[in-house]
Structure formats: C-alpha cells, structure tokens
Amino acid sequence: MEELQGLRKVINSYLGLIFKIGLCLVLLSCFFLFTNLTTEMFDTAKFAVLVIFTGVLLVLLTLKFTIAGKVAFVRTPLDIPLILLLAVSIVSVFLSPAPYVAALGNQLKIHGSLVSLITYILFYFILVNNLKSIKNIRWIFTLMIIASQVLAIVSLLTYSGIKILPEPWAYGINFTPTGSNFSTTAILAMLIPFIVMQILNSTKPIFAILSAIFLIISGITIALTGTWATWIGALIALLLTVATISPIRQISKIKPIRLISLIVPVCLVGLITALSFIPPMGPAKNPIYTQAQEFPREIQLGFVTSWKISVSAFRDSPFWGTGPSTYAFNFTNYKPVEFNTSKFWNLRFDSPFNEYLHVLATLGGVGLLALLSLTALFISGAFKTYQLYRSDKSEENSSKIVLAISGLTFFIVLTLHSSTLSVWVVGLLILASFMVLNLSKNTQRSWINDQTNVKDMFLKIAGNISNPESLKETIRIDALPGVLLTIALALVLFAGFFGGKFLLADHYHRLALNAVTENQGIVAYNNLVAAEKLNPYNDTYRIDLAQTNFALANAIATAKAPTEASPAGSLTDQDKQNIQTLLQQSITEAKTAVTLSPKSAINWEILGMLYRQISGVAQNALVFSLDSYGRAIFQDPLNPNLRVSVGGVYYAIQNYDMAIRFFTDSINLKPDFANGYYNLSVALRDKGDLTNALTLAEKLLTLLVDESSPDYKTAGDYLDDLKNRASSGTTEESEIQPPASEETGVLQQKELPKVVNVGNPPSDIATPSAIKKPSPTPSPAP
C-alpha cells in the first residue's frame, strides 16, 4: 500500500512538471515555431507540438487514474457544447462528399479538420484537469505576455523593413512567426486585459511603467499590422477592462502614475493609428501612412458573400453540414454571381467572414448550435463573475474578471474573423483558466472500481448535470481506469504512427517543391512518390505528382522532338516508352486525386488541362478534357475562367458554335471580363460574323484602361486587323488566334502518333448549362 502511495506521489509530481514544461512548449511554438521542413511552414509544426503534448498528458492522466483506482476529472459548463461539436464533426465526416479532406484537412491546411477539432477538445480537457491554482495560471499568462511582446517586436521590425532573419525566412514586411498577422494581432488583443489590469492594479511604479511599455508595443502592432477585426477586438478589450476595474466615477481615486501609464500609451497608439489613415497634405510627408498603405494585409471574404454561401450550404445540408475543412468547396459551389464584379473575383477562399458562418456551412445547424452554446455559456459565466467582482474586488476576483474579458475578446474576434490554430490554442487556454477559477470545489467527479448497474450510473450522471453545485458523487464501474488507459494508449499510438507517417510525407513534399524551384525534375518526382506512399490520401500530393509526370514527359519530348535542323528528331524507343509511361501515370494520379476529393474544382480543372495538353499523343483526349472541365464547372459554376477554357477546347476542334456559347457564358458571368470578350470576338470572326466581332473588339478596348500595357497593344492590333478585314472583305485565315485555344506543348500536335491509352470516351460528356444572364446563387452541384 505504501509503495502504491509513493507511486501515486511520483506520478502526480511528474505529471505537474510535464504539464508545465509541455504547456510552455505549446505556447512558445504557437508564437514562434516555423520551419521549412514541411510544406506549410507555420501551422504544421505548431500542430505537431500540440498533438505530442496532448497525447503525452492524456496517457499520463489515465495512468494516474489507473494507479489511483478511480477516474476523477474536473467538469465544466463548456464540456457538453465541446463534446457536441466533436460528435457533429465525426458524423459530418462520415456523411461528407469529401471524407478524406474533412478528416485530414484541405490543401495541406490541418486547422479546421476533424483531426484538429479532436486535438483542440482534448487539449481543453487536459487543461482543465491540470490547471490547479491561481498561482500557476498567473505564471502561465505572465510568460505568455512576455512572449507576446517579443512576437510583437519581431512583427514591428519586419514591418519596418528590418531583416532579422536570413533568407529564406525574411519573406517580406508582413512576415510574423505565427504565420499570419491576424493571428499575431488577435493574440495581442486577447492579452490586452491582462496588461491593462497590471497597470491599474500595480502596487509599484516600475510594474505600471513596464506594463505601459507592453501596452504601447501591443497597441502599435495591432494598429499597423492588424485588420479591423483585431482593431475592434482590442478596443473593446481595453474599454471593458478600464470600465470594469476602474469605472469613470472612480477615476479620481486612481494614482497618478497608474493614470499616466494608461493614458500615455492609449494616446500614443491612437495618434499612430490616426496617422496611418490620414494621407499627407500638400508637400508634407507621412511615412506612417505610406507604409500602412503599402502593407500587404490578409484578404478576408466579405460578410454578405459569406452569408449567402453559408446559408446555401445550410439549405442543402442543414444538420451536419458538408464536413470540416470543406468550406473551399462551399465557396466554389455557392458563391453569388455578383462576386465576379469584386476585386478578388479570381481567388478561391477556404474560409468565410467569421467562425460562426464557417461552422454553419461545414458543420450545419447542430454544429452552429454547439458553438453558440459555447459562446452563450461563457458569456453567462462572465456576467456572473462581473456581478461578483462588483461586490468583492479581491485579488482572485480580479484574475477572474480579466480572464472573463479576455475570453469575451476571443469570441468577439471569432465573430469578426475566421479562426486560426494559434488563436484557438490561446483562446482555449483562456477559457479553461476561467472555468477552473470559477468552478466549485465540489465539481470533481470520480469513477472508482466496483460493481454497479448501468441504470444507476446514468441516473447519477443526470443528477450531477442537473445540479452542478451538488456534493461529490461517486460512480462505480469495474476496471474503468484500466479501460481508459488502454483507450488512451491506443489512441496515442494510432495518432503517433499515422501522424508520423503523414508528417514525414509532408517533409518529402516540401523537398519536392524545393527541387521544382531548382529545376530538378527527377528529384521532385522521387520525393513525391515517397510522399504519396506514406500518405496516399492527400489529393495535393497526387495532383503535384501528376503535373510532375507530365512535366518530365514534356521535357523529354521538347528536347528530342523534330526540328528544322533534325526533321526526324532524336527520340529513341526508350524515350518513347518513358514518355508513354509518364503520361499514363500523370493521368492516373490526377484521376485518383478527383476520386479522393471529388468536390475540388481545382483537381478537375487540372485533370482537364492534362488531357488537353496530351491531345496529340492520346486518342479522345480532348473529349476527356471537355468532360473534366465540365465537372470542374459543376463544382465552380460561376467561374468565367473555366468557361473560357472549355470554349478554347471547342475552338481547337473548330466547333465554333460551342466555343461561342462558352465564351459568351464567361462575359455573362463577368460583364467586364476582357479575356472573354477577346476570345468571343475571335470565335465570331472565324465563324464569319465580322460585325459582332468588331463590336466586341471595340468593347474590349474600353475595358483595358492602361494604354501602355501589352494587352492594350494586342487588343489594338487585333481591332485594326478586324477593320482591315471588314473593309477589304478578306476571308483569309488570320494569325491572331484566341488565347484560350493556343497550344502550349509539343504533346498537343495533331500529327503525333497516339501512344497513350486514356480509355474509351465517356458516353455522356459533362456539359454545363448555358449562362444567359447574371443569375442568383447557383443550385448545389450534382
């Protein structure tokens, strides 16, 4: 018995030490870790550290239960919403049209996937079961505030053009170790209440002055590198903290040093913010404004567009949504036609305006209910804490109220912007710390070894949930601690095995990308093959390998193809066999990619492009190209570029009527689409309709406002050619061809032998309906 007691003490002591060290590593990695060893240089490494920490603590916690002979965990009001969110995510993955993407992430982005949601929720439960005292919580947030200031200084240095890291790390003036300026400024905004509280409650002038410096650094970083989402979040955090801790009627009671330490930073940050928006007058110069205007801020999808997309996705998948990490597919399927008139019409977004719209689209109504419940329960707890603080301004209650304001800032940020990995990690730490400090000492629940019936067990659980302030309850289930330990070990080993494989695969993919930039095709090919073997479920690897196969085949054909100096060329039988094998592999890999992610318009578009590029050596390749492009349009029905691509294929086979139809679709979708007008005009010219071709060419010239651009000169030369034809009545073939029909590779030449077998052509080519005029948000893709 004594040996068992000693073992328990050892486990408890080591568990506390590992928790502190591990949590420090997680926070520091979220702030500073980035590497070029993985494809995605920021979140992948941060997520790996988070998974390792969560897995190790999960095993140690269940080991502690097993040695103690009972399961004792801390229950919080946020448990049920989080568990509901997890359950919805799991169901949504199984029902998703793209389950691999929903489970593992889209385009190498882990955040938002089922894997990330599981990790976040386990991380929260690990936190609430290991954060034991207000002293530990204060120590953690002190470390986080200091780290955040280093993070802010790094961001400000790069913003000002000072290179603190050698190439390739010095990416530009918007470089920040978190991976995005939004993440950096959102974290700073969430920590502002702690800094302001330190100013208003400090007992020594040195602490007030130091906190004032921190507030200046944080405020300037948010003002210069943040977005309006973090500006609003930071401002609300500041106002709530000041109004709560030192109401206006008590300002006269604030010590002068505290008041100065608060007013000076606020005024300084306000001045810099104003200067960043006010242009210089006359000959005066304002470098702050100039730098702010040149700063490349992250692009955020607008609220109206996001609302229409999310509501359309909810309409078709009301309960479980389309699956985690599938918003990019929702965007292409449901974006409104007016989006084509925006400045970013040719971009594809993988996240909406805010987190709530993201959850509505990807996890449906039940998922949104879970997130809203999480928000409402925290707000309710924050309001109760505020009421308690008004009557008792003790040191402990001060910590509670500042955590409450910081948590509210977290939810405000989620309301104004979609989330990131770093924001969720810091946000969950804030929520967990707040819950631990506000829990009754009797909220710990224990399951110890003994026999009981299932009915009694559930009755006791129900009683505990209905009365959170009830006394400690004991539910007896034989061997439960050992079962939980086994499950935890199995889960960690499973995650470690596959996570290690996928991480190594991502490393090989990064090596392949590096090889491509150095023009080392064979090295890129070998690394992509290695990546695909380790992670065969990633469609990005498949697509990249498909394009690499084609690039290698095209390089061989280009180097040894017939030329004027060598009409017979220098292709050997082995070269021909290699070309044939590489092209066959290229098509196979691209087809596998669309199987893994059938909702990806990008994958279908690349498959269509590959078929088109090998049309000279593959029978029926253009038919397959039209079918693939058509399926891409089904997934992205309002994309004018895809319509132009299809029109180009039809033009190449001299089907001018269908070419005109798709070129017309493109300008119906985007009335100011210069490329669409140019291609349509050329197609009408070659059909013999010079009058309409001339009208469109004149319209084209009005769309190109930069008269010094090459495009304007090309359009002008084309218009002159049309006028000459109209006046002379010539019908000779023109050298001016539509850009959409131009051949870009030697493997498109019609006279080449057909050596690649792509199979029998589809009996029914996927042909989208014509776009007669700008239409409302499209129906879901078939």
Side-chain angles (χ1 to χ4, degrees):
M1 188 68 180
E2 293 181 359
E3 293 179 356
L4 184 61
Q5 191 69 23
L7 184 59
R8 291 175 184 173
K9 291 181 179 179
V10 171
I11 291 293
N12 286 333
S13 62
Y14 276 105
L15 180 62
L17 179 62
I18 293 174
F19 172 76
K20 292 177 182 178
I21 295 174
L23 184 56
C24 289
L25 291 176
V26 169
L27 293 175
L28 292 177
S29 69
C30 283
F31 284 19
F32 303 111
L33 182 60
F34 55 95
T35 176
N36 63 349
L37 298 177
T38 56
T39 304
E40 203 286 324
M41 297 187 182
F42 296 95
D43 280 3
T44 303
K46 302 178 194 298
F47 185 73
V49 174
L50 178 63
V51 168
I52 293 171
F53 166 78
T54 304
V56 170
L57 264 295
L58 182 64
V59 171
L60 289 177
L61 189 63
T62 53
L63 179 61
K64 174 185 174 183
F65 294 160
T66 303
I67 294 174
K70 64 178 181 178
V71 177
F73 64 88
V74 176
R75 194 188 68 198
T76 72
L78 304 185
D79 293 353
I80 293 179
L82 288 172
I83 293 173
L84 178 61
L85 193 64
L86 176 60
V88 173
S89 301
I90 293 173
V91 174
S92 182
V93 166
F94 283 102
L95 299 179
S96 174
Y100 295 112
V101 171
L104 303 175
N106 184 40
Q107 295 295 317
L108 307 174
K109 181 181 177 182
I110 300 175
H111 175 70
S113 65
L114 174 63
V115 171
S116 69
L117 287 171
I118 292 174
T119 305
Y120 295 156
I121 293 171
L122 287 176
F123 176 67
Y124 173 82
F125 284 108
I126 291 296
L127 289 175
V128 296
N129 281 279
N130 286 278
L131 290 170
K132 298 298 183 182
S133 66
I134 188 172
K135 181 180 178 181
N136 287 337
I137 292 175
R138 285 177 178 170
W139 179 82
I140 290 169
F141 279 94
T142 299
L143 171 67
M144 195 154 52
I145 289 171
I146 295 173
S148 71
Q149 299 312 299
V150 177
L151 176 64
I153 291 172
V154 171
S155 299
L156 286 177
L157 288 175
T158 55
Y159 177 86
S160 61
I162 299 174
K163 304 297 183 182
I164 59 175
L165 292 172
E167 297 289 349
W169 302 116
Y171 298 105
I173 61 174
N174 64 340
F175 168 77
T176 182
T178 62
S180 73
N181 292 109
F182 163 74
S183 296
T184 296
T185 53
I187 291 171
L188 293 174
M190 288 187 284
L191 295 178
I192 279 181
F194 296 91
I195 300 174
V196 175
M197 181 193 71
Q198 184 62 38
I199 293 175
L200 295 176
N201 291 345
S202 60
T203 56
K204 298 181 179 180
I206 185 64
F207 291 142
I209 295 172
L210 183 62
S211 297
I213 295 173
F214 287 172
L215 186 59
I216 292 172
I217 295 173
S218 297
I220 292 176
T221 305
I222 294 171
L224 296 181
T225 68
T227 63
W228 66 279
T230 51
W231 295 334
I232 293 176
L235 181 60
I236 293 177
L238 174 67
L239 295 177
L240 282 178
T241 308
V242 173
T244 302
I245 297 178
S246 298
I248 296 177
R249 61 180 179 273
Q250 298 181 6
I251 288 182
S252 59
K253 299 180 181 180
I254 302 177
K255 293 182 178 180
I257 185 64
R258 297 179 185 175
L259 198 60
I260 294 173
S261 298
L262 179 63
I263 293 176
V264 170
V266 171
C267 292
L268 181 59
V269 173
L271 176 62
I272 292 177
T273 303
L275 290 175
S276 68
F277 283 98
I278 300 174
M281 304 295 291
K285 294 183 179 180
N286 183 355
I288 295 178
Y289 173 81
T290 303
Q291 183 75 354
Q293 295 302 307
E294 294 176 353
F295 184 72
R297 302 184 190 276
E298 296 155 16
I299 301 172
Q300 182 181 11
L301 189 62
F303 176 79
V304 175
T305 300
S306 300
W307 169 259
K308 291 181 179 180
I309 293 169
S310 295
V311 169
S312 297
F314 171 73
R315 175 197 65 204
D316 297 323
S317 302
F319 296 106
W320 317 111
T322 57
S325 290
T326 59
Y327 189 83
F329 308 147
N330 293 329
F331 173 79
T332 55
N333 268 269
Y334 300 113
K335 64 182 177 183
V337 69
E338 57 267 22
F339 180 77
N340 285 329
T341 62
S342 69
K343 182 166 54 174
F344 308 112
W345 68 273
N346 58 338
L347 298 181
R348 289 179 170 120
F349 289 82
D350 60 2
S351 59
F353 175 79
N354 65 21
E355 192 68 8
Y356 294 89
L357 292 177
H358 188 275
V359 170
L360 177 63
T362 58
L363 299 181
V366 182
L368 180 63
L369 176 64
L371 184 58
L372 290 175
S373 299
L374 184 74
T375 307
L377 286 172
F378 183 85
I379 293 175
S380 174
F383 181 71
K384 292 179 181 178
T385 300
Y386 170 71
Q387 291 179 318
L388 178 63
Y389 179 77
R390 291 179 62 184
S391 59
D392 180 12
K393 292 182 171 58
S394 64
E395 188 175 355
E396 181 177 354
N397 286 338
S398 295
S399 298
K400 291 179 182 180
I401 195 64
V402 76
L403 282 168
I405 297 172
S406 185
L408 290 174
T409 306
F410 169 65
F411 285 110
I412 289 170
V413 168
L414 294 187
T415 306
L416 300 174
H417 202 285
S418 55
S419 67
T420 64
L421 182 148
S422 296
V423 170
W424 263 111
V425 169
V426 175
L428 287 173
L429 176 58
I430 293 170
L431 300 187
S433 300
F434 176 78
M435 287 297 153
V436 168
L437 292 185
N438 282 275
L439 288 175
S440 166
K441 295 182 179 179
N442 294 320
T443 55
Q444 188 180 76
R445 296 294 176 259
S446 300
W447 277 256
I448 68 175
N449 290 340
D450 203 348
Q451 299 289 339
T452 191
N453 60 67
V454 177
K455 179 180 177 180
D456 291 342
M457 177 184 72
F458 281 107
L459 286 175
K460 292 182 178 181
I461 293 176
N464 289 335
I465 293 175
S466 63
N467 183 15
E469 298 299 325
S470 63
L471 295 178
K472 181 176 178 179
E473 294 288 348
T474 297
I475 299 178
R476 306 175 184 275
I477 306 175
D478 189 37
L480 180 61
V483 171
L484 290 180
L485 176 61
T486 303
I487 293 174
L489 280 172
L491 180 62
V492 169
L493 290 175
F494 177 84
F497 176 74
F498 285 99
K501 286 181 61 178
F502 292 171
L503 192 62
L504 184 58
D506 198 53
H507 174 62
Y508 278 118
H509 186 250
R510 164 50 57 190
L511 294 178
L513 295 181
N514 293 341
V516 170
T517 60
E518 298 171 0
N519 201 26
Q520 298 177 351
I522 300 299
V523 176
Y525 172 84
N526 291 332
N527 283 315
L528 283 171
V529 170
E532 184 184 290
K533 287 181 179 179
L534 290 167
N535 184 1
Y537 308 108
N538 193 308
D539 60 298
T540 302
Y541 299 166
R542 301 277 184 172
I543 282 294
D544 287 352
L545 185 54
Q547 294 181 94
T548 301
N549 275 296
F550 170 78
L552 291 173
N554 193 60
I556 297 172
T558 302
K560 298 186 177 183
T563 61
E564 293 183 3
S566 177
S570 58
L571 282 172
T572 65
D573 291 339
Q574 185 61 49
D575 290 332
K576 295 176 181 178
Q577 181 63 39
N578 289 339
I579 291 174
Q580 183 177 355
T581 302
L582 288 168
L583 293 179
Q584 200 71 55
Q585 289 176 353
S586 176
I587 295 300
T588 300
E589 293 295 339
K591 290 172 69 174
T592 304
V594 298
T595 301
L596 291 172
S597 184
K599 301 293 288 183
S600 172
I602 296 175
N603 290 351
W604 282 112
E605 182 181 5
I606 291 175
L607 179 59
M609 180 185 65
L610 289 173
Y611 275 126
R612 182 175 177 180
Q613 288 177 328
I614 65 170
S615 58
V617 294
Q619 189 73 32
N620 301 317
L622 288 180
V623 178
F624 281 97
S625 178
L626 288 172
D627 184 67
S628 299
Y629 275 127
R631 296 182 187 279
I633 292 175
F634 284 150
Q635 305 308 325
D636 195 355
L638 300 186
N639 188 327
N641 283 324
L642 289 176
R643 304 276 176 165
V644 167
S645 296
V646 175
V649 176
Y650 278 114
Y651 182 93
I653 59 176
Q654 298 184 350
N655 188 338
Y656 297 128
D657 289 333
M658 290 299 291
I660 290 170
R661 203 218 87 174
F662 278 96
F663 291 148
T664 303
D665 286 348
S666 71
I667 62 174
N668 282 340
L669 289 171
K670 183 173 174 56
D672 60 346
F673 191 33
N675 191 30
Y677 280 98
Y678 186 25
N679 283 280
L680 178 57
S681 177
V682 175
L684 288 169
R685 177 204 67 187
D686 291 349
K687 189 183 178 184
D689 189 353
L690 286 178
T691 302
N692 285 324
L694 190 59
T695 301
L696 290 171
E698 292 172 344
K699 171 69 173 177
L700 169 64
L701 214 57
T702 65
L703 296 174
L704 302 173
V705 294
D706 185 4
E707 297 184 4
S708 63
S709 67
D711 289 340
Y712 191 91
K713 183 179 184 306
T714 300
D717 293 342
Y718 171 66
L719 180 59
D720 292 339
D721 180 73
L722 276 182
K723 290 179 178 178
N724 292 334
R725 287 173 170 272
S727 61
S728 63
T730 181
T731 58
E732 294 179 1
E733 184 176 350
S734 173
E735 294 181 358
I736 299 177
Q737 299 295 313
S741 69
E742 292 178 355
E743 295 182 353
T744 58
V746 296
L747 298 174
Q748 290 180 269
Q749 299 175 14
K750 298 180 178 62
E751 63 274 10
L752 292 174
K754 304 300 186 285
V755 295
V756 179
N757 181 17
V758 294
N760 296 323
S763 57
D764 186 16
I765 298 176
T767 305
S769 301
I771 302 293
K772 300 299 183 183
K773 59 181 179 179
S775 59
T777 300
S779 299

